[in-house]
Amino acid sequence: MDDVLVTGLGALSPLGAGTDAFWRGMHKADTGPTRVPDPLAHMDRPLMYLVPEADVPDGPEEQDGLPLGRGSRFALAAAREAVADAGLAPSAGPGERPEAGPYATGGGLDPRRVAVALSTGMGDTDLHEGWWTGRAPASGRWAPAFPLASVVGGWFGAQGVNTCVSNACAASGYALSVGADLIRSGEADVVIAGGAEAYSRVALACFNRLGAIDPERCRPFAVERQGTVFGEGAAVLVLESASHARARGARTVYGRLAGAGWSCDAYHATAPEPSGEQIERAMREALREAGAEAGSGTGSESGSGSGSESGSGTEAGSGAGSGSGGLGFVIPHGTGTELNDVVESRLLDALTPRTPLYSVKALIGHTGGAAGAFAALAACLVLHHKTLPPNVPVGEQDPECAVPLPSGSAPMTGAYGLVNAYAFGGNNISLVFGEAAA
Amino acid sequence: MSSDPAVGLVVTGIGTVGADGFDFRTALGRHGYKYLPAASQYFLAAAKRALAQAGPDALEAVGPEQRGAAVGTNSAAVALHHAMDRTVTATGAADLSPVTAPYFSINLFGSRLATEHDLKGFNLTFTSPRVAGLEALQNGQRALATGRARRLLAGATEEALPEGEPGAGTSEAGAVALVLEPEPAARSRGVAALGRVGVRSFFLPPKAAASAEGAERAAALLRDALDALGHRPDRPLAVTAVLDGSPVGEAMAAALDEKALGGRALAGEPERVPAGAGALEPVARVAAALGAPAGHAHAVVTAAAEGNAAVCLVTPGGADAVPGGPEAASSEPAGTKRAPESAGSEQPMSGRRRASDR
C-alpha cells in the first residue's frame, strides 16, 4: 500500500503566522491567554489564546459571493502556506494564468485528484454571531456555518473530494485520517488536510457554563488545573501518496501518516469513559497499523515523573525517544480537564511507559476542531527537526498524571510520534506519524 | 480494525422523520428526551424507525466495536446557537441551560445515537454544505471497507434556521437514517436488502462553474463519478437533482443530459428538486429512490453554491437486482422479513417545515 507522506505544512496560531513562527514558539515555550476583545462576551472567564491581531488575515471578506468568517480566513491562510511549502500551486481558473509554481506550470497535477479534508467545530459561527447582534448580512444567500473546506477547495481549484469533518475536538484527527484513506483507496493523490477554529462567543460561553475554563491558563496534567482554555488558529498539512511525491520530486517530506485508530466511548455526552477502554483501543490500533509497538524502543529516562515540579523536569539531552526505531514521543490530548488528563495519563503510563510527552495545548490552548491538526503539525516538526521542544511550565504535576513532561528540549531519535485527539460524544482518534525521507 | 472488511453493503432499514407534527414522546418515549435539541430527537427517531425495519438483530449481530455511525448536518445547531447567543449577550453565560450547553458542539446532535445503541466503532459528523448527508454515507461506507466497523447507521438531520437568518426561507427540518450491513449478513438474518447506495463526492469550483465551460466541467466530473460507482452507460438511469440556482447548481443541471454525460441512457427527464438550506433533502431522495422497483438505477445528484457536489447511485433490491453485482442470492430468501410500510415512510421530505411557517 502506498505510504501517505506529509509534504507541506502551514500554520496560523497564537504564536503568529507561519510554521516557522510555530516552531520558534515551541522552543520559546512562553505563552498565555488573553481576554477576548468582545464587549458582548458576558461570562466569568472570557479567556483564550488568540491569534495575534497583527497576524489575523485582513481578508478576504468573501469568496465567490460567500461571506467568510474568521475560521475560513484562518483555514485559507494556513492552506496557502502548506500548499506553497509543498511546492504546489493552485489550479488555473478559466481564463487565468497559472500561478508561479513549478508543478502547476509544469503540468501533471490533476485537480480531480486533489482533495480537501478540513475540520472545524464552530466554523464561521462568528460571522453569524455578528449578524445576531446587529451587523446586517450582505445578502440573503444562505451562508452555511461550515464552509471551510469549500473555501479552500475553491481557492485552490481542487476538484476531488471536499469534506468538512466536525467531530468536535477530535475532528482534525479524523480529517487527517479520512484524507489518508482517500489516498490509500486511490481516490486522491494529494489531500489538503487539517483544521481551523476561531473565537466563537457561543462556544466560549457554553464552556464557561459547564465550568470547564481554567482561570489562569491551559495546564494539562497539573495538580492545580481547573479546566481548559480555548485557543484559535489553523493547521494544514499536505498529504500526498508516496508515489505521487516521488514522481514530482517533492522537495521536503516531513513524515508519514503511518497509522490511525478510531473509537467511540458510547458512554456520555461530555465525560470520558473512566476505564479508557476505547481510547486504549484507538491507540493500540494506530500503533499496530504503523508497526510502532507500544512501549518499545523508547528507553527514555526523560520523565519528570509523578509529582515533580515541571520546572525541574528533564533537561536537554536526556535522550527522549532514545530507542531508535520505536515510539519517540506522544502529543497527548491532555486538555487540562480533571478526568480526561487522569484517564489518558494512566493509559499512556501503561501503554507507552517512559515515552516523553509534548503538550501543544499548554502552548496554544485547546484549539478544538483544529487541535488534532496542530498536534499532527507539531509531530511532523519534531520528526523533521529530530528535536523535542521543552514543555511549557504548568506548575506542579498531578501525581495522578504520572507522565513524562520534559522541561528541556531533547534530541529525538525515535522513529515515531503518537498523536491523540478526543472529543465530546466520546469520539477518539489516535494517529501515528513516522519518519520519512524525500 | 477487523481483518475481514465489510464489503457489498446493502441497506436494510430506512427511517425518515419530518418536523411537522413530530412529538418526541410518541416517537422516542416520554422520558429522557425532553431536553434534547430537536435535530437530535429527529435523528434518534429516524434511526429507531430504520432499525425497526432492519430488525432487532441488525446491530446486535456484531459487537459494539464493530458498529459505526455517521451523520451529516449543516443547520442542526444554528437556531440553538442563536438562542444561546441572545442569552449570553443579554444576561450572560450563567443563564445558559447546562443541559443544552454541550450542544454548542455540532457533533453532539449525533452522539446520543452512539450511547443508545452502543456504537463504539466510530461516530462521525460531517458538515459540508448540502452534501454532508451523502458524505456520511460515503465516508461511513469507506470506513467499513477499511475494516473500522461492520455495521453502519448513517444519515442526515436538520433543524429550521432562525427567522431572519439568510436562507431561512428554504430551511429543512427532519432526519433520515439508513442501516447498512454486508449483503450476506442480511441474507443470513433473513432480511430483505432494500438496495445499494454508492456515493462519490467531488468539487466544482464556483469560478469554473460560472465560466463558459461550467456545464462541460460539471459533466466531466459527473461522468467520472458515475464511472467510479460502476454505472454502466447502457443502463437507463433515472436522475433526481437537488440543486439551487447558483452557478454551480445551474452548471450541474446543464450537465444532466445524455449527450453531456457521454451517451448515458437516461430514464426520462431528470427531476429537478429545489435545494434547501441543509443536507437533508438529498438523503431523503436517496431513501425514496430505494423504494423503486428492484434494479432500477437512480442517481441522486446534489451540489451547493460553495462548490461541493455529490452523486449517489441507488440500486433498489437485493444483490440479484444489481447487474454485475456479487453473485450472492439469486432470489429473496425464504422467511424474509419486511417491516410495515410505516417503518420507513414519508420520504422524501415533502412535509418539511420552513422557518417562515413557524
Side-chain angles (χ1 to χ4, degrees):
Chain A
M1 193 182 290
D2 214 357
D3 267 347
V4 176
L5 304 181
V6 179
T7 57
L9 298 175
L12 176 64
S13 76
L15 303 172
T19 305
D20 289 344
F22 193 82
W23 183 241
R24 283 196 305 274
M26 287 174 77
H27 283 275
K28 194 173 177 189
D30 179 20
T31 55
T34 55
R35 189 182 177 91
V36 297
D38 177 359
L40 295 174
H42 299 150
M43 55 196 84
D44 291 341
R45 296 172 180 178
L47 296 177
M48 269 187 81
Y49 293 78
L50 296 167
V51 171
E53 193 56 38
D55 295 307
V56 172
D58 57 6
E61 291 294 317
E62 60 88 33
Q63 180 173 292
D64 303 319
L66 177 74
L68 304 189
R70 197 171 166 98
S72 284
R73 294 204 298 272
F74 285 2
L76 263 179
R80 285 178 191 276
E81 182 192 4
V83 163
D85 186 39
L88 303 174
S91 300
E96 292 178 349
R97 291 180 55 206
E99 286 188 22
Y103 201 46
T105 53
L109 183 62
D110 182 349
R112 293 173 301 180
R113 305 278 304 161
V114 180
V116 179
L118 293 176
S119 68
T120 183
M122 299 305 291
D124 282 350
T125 295
D126 67 303
L127 189 71
H128 297 248
E129 290 169 354
W131 295 341
W132 300 333
T133 50
R135 207 179 310 143
S139 78
R141 168 185 169 164
W142 176 46
F146 305 94
L148 281 64
S150 323
V151 170
V152 168
W155 159 72
F156 188 87
Q159 296 176 22
V161 168
N162 184 295
T163 189
C164 189
V165 189
S166 292
N167 269 26
C169 306
S172 45
Y174 277 97
L176 288 161
S177 184
V178 166
D181 285 351
L182 288 170
I183 290 172
R184 292 194 178 111
S185 68
E187 293 173 69
D189 296 324
V190 172
V191 184
I192 301 169
E197 205 70 273
Y199 165 65
S200 154
R201 184 166 55 235
V202 167
L204 190 53
C206 286
F207 242 61
N208 267 268
R209 181 62 185 89
L210 294 170
I213 301 286
D214 191 293
E216 293 190 15
R217 58 175 301 118
C218 191
R219 297 181 281 186
F221 310 111
V223 70
E224 293 187 352
R225 69 189 183 283
Q226 295 180 47
T228 197
V229 178
F230 285 164
E232 63 171 8
V236 173
L237 289 72
V238 173
L239 304 180
E240 189 167 357
S241 78
S243 56
H244 191 268
R246 266 196 307 273
R248 74 176 180 92
R251 59 193 178 201
T252 305
V253 174
Y254 291 95
R256 62 194 175 96
L257 208 177
W262 300 8
S263 71
C264 177
D265 288 352
Y267 173 74
H268 189 271
T270 58
E273 191 277 313
S275 80
E277 178 188 33
Q278 291 305 315
I279 70 172
E280 178 179 354
R281 187 168 74 87
M283 277 194 267
R284 285 192 184 280
E285 176 58 29
L287 290 163
R288 186 201 62 74
E289 189 174 290
E293 289 188 19
S296 70
T298 56
S300 168
E301 298 300 323
S302 60
S304 55
S306 171
S308 69
E309 291 287 338
S310 64
S312 60
T314 309
E315 294 304 318
S318 63
S322 59
S324 178
L327 184 66
F329 63 97
V330 176
I331 300 187
H333 182 61
T335 56
T337 51
E338 181 63 32
L339 188 55
N340 174 88
D341 291 8
V342 171
V343 172
E344 189 178 15
S345 295
R346 192 173 64 236
L347 288 165
L348 287 172
D349 187 47
L351 203 60
T352 64
R354 298 180 303 282
T355 305
L357 272 59
Y358 178 78
S359 174
V360 172
K361 291 186 182 71
L363 182 69
I364 61 169
H366 188 353
T367 48
F374 271 114
L377 177 99
C380 289
L381 289 171
V382 169
L383 288 166
H384 183 64
H385 293 288
K386 299 185 187 302
T387 301
L388 193 66
N391 276 286
V392 174
V394 292
E396 183 182 349
Q397 197 169 337
D398 186 344
E400 285 199 76
C401 300
V403 287
L405 287 164
S407 60
S409 65
M412 213 299 294
T413 56
Y416 296 97
L418 171 68
V419 166
N420 290 335
Y422 311 138
F424 273 17
N427 290 175
N428 312 306
I429 187 163
S430 291
L431 302 173
V432 172
F433 288 86
E435 290 180 330
Chain B
M1 191 180 292
S2 168
S3 59
D4 182 20
V7 292
L9 297 173
V10 293
V11 177
T12 55
I14 303 168
T16 68
V17 166
D20 284 339
F22 179 81
D23 183 343
F24 75 86
R25 295 172 201 81
T26 51
L28 294 167
R30 289 192 168 275
H31 303 293
Y33 300 98
K34 182 177 178 182
Y35 298 107
L36 292 182
S40 186
Q41 294 174 344
Y42 299 153
F43 195 53
L44 284 169
K48 186 178 178 183
R49 291 182 182 186
L51 287 166
Q53 184 173 27
D57 50 350
L59 294 177
E60 286 73 8
V62 297
E65 293 171 359
Q66 298 298 324
R67 308 171 193 164
V71 62
T73 186
N74 296 152
S75 306
V78 179
L80 181 64
H81 285 174
H82 184 211
M84 287 171 160
D85 200 48
R86 272 189 311 201
T87 300
V88 174
T89 56
T91 59
D95 288 331
L96 291 170
S97 159
V99 179
T100 53
Y103 285 83
F104 80 86
S105 183
I106 188 77
N107 76 317
L108 260 280
F109 289 82
S111 74
R112 176 72 174 267
L113 188 73
T115 313
E116 291 216 343
H117 298 290
D118 215 12
L119 312 175
K120 294 185 175 177
F122 57 84
N123 185 6
L124 305 172
T125 298
F126 298 93
T127 52
S128 314
R130 195 154 292 137
V131 303
L134 294 186
E135 280 186 340
L137 284 169
Q138 180 184 26
N139 287 308
Q141 290 194 80
R142 189 189 298 112
L144 263 60
T146 56
R148 292 194 164 101
R150 300 185 62 77
R151 299 290 184 275
L152 177 66
L153 257 172
T157 189
E158 297 290 6
E159 172 59 318
L161 293 168
E163 209 162 331
E165 183 82 2
T170 59
S171 279
E172 297 180 332
V176 178
L178 305 180
V179 177
L180 292 100
E181 61 186 297
E183 198 279 337
R187 191 157 22 102
S188 70
R189 294 196 303 114
V191 171
L194 304 175
R196 293 166 189 269
V197 290
V199 179
R200 293 288 286 204
S201 60
F202 51 91
F203 192 81
L204 178 60
K207 282 188 183 63
S211 72
E213 306 93 57
E216 191 183 319
R217 291 193 180 210
L221 291 166
L222 274 168
R223 286 196 303 269
D224 287 352
L226 289 167
D227 286 346
L229 289 167
H231 177 256
R232 275 194 352 229
D234 61 340
R235 287 190 64 209
L237 186 65
V239 175
T240 298
V242 183
L243 299 170
D244 58 27
S246 70
V248 175
E250 294 303 328
M252 293 287 286
L256 292 171
D257 74 40
E258 293 186 351
K259 188 177 172 196
L261 291 176
R264 281 175 198 275
L266 297 186
E269 280 293 306
E271 177 192 21
R272 183 162 175 175
V273 178
L280 182 58
E281 188 69 36
V283 187
R285 294 287 163 173
V286 168
L290 282 164
H296 285 223
H298 196 129
V300 175
V301 174
T302 194
E306 291 71 29
N308 299 78
V311 55
C312 179
L313 182 63
V314 182
T315 311
D320 55 320
V322 187
E327 42 295 340
S330 58
S331 64
E332 196 171 78
T336 293
K337 292 174 280 190
R338 278 257 182 204
E341 288 300 313
S342 59
S345 60
E346 296 182 39
Q347 69 271 53
M349 307 305 293
S350 53
R352 72 187 185 200
R353 183 176 61 189
R354 294 183 185 268
S356 54
D357 297 335
R358 300 176 73 198

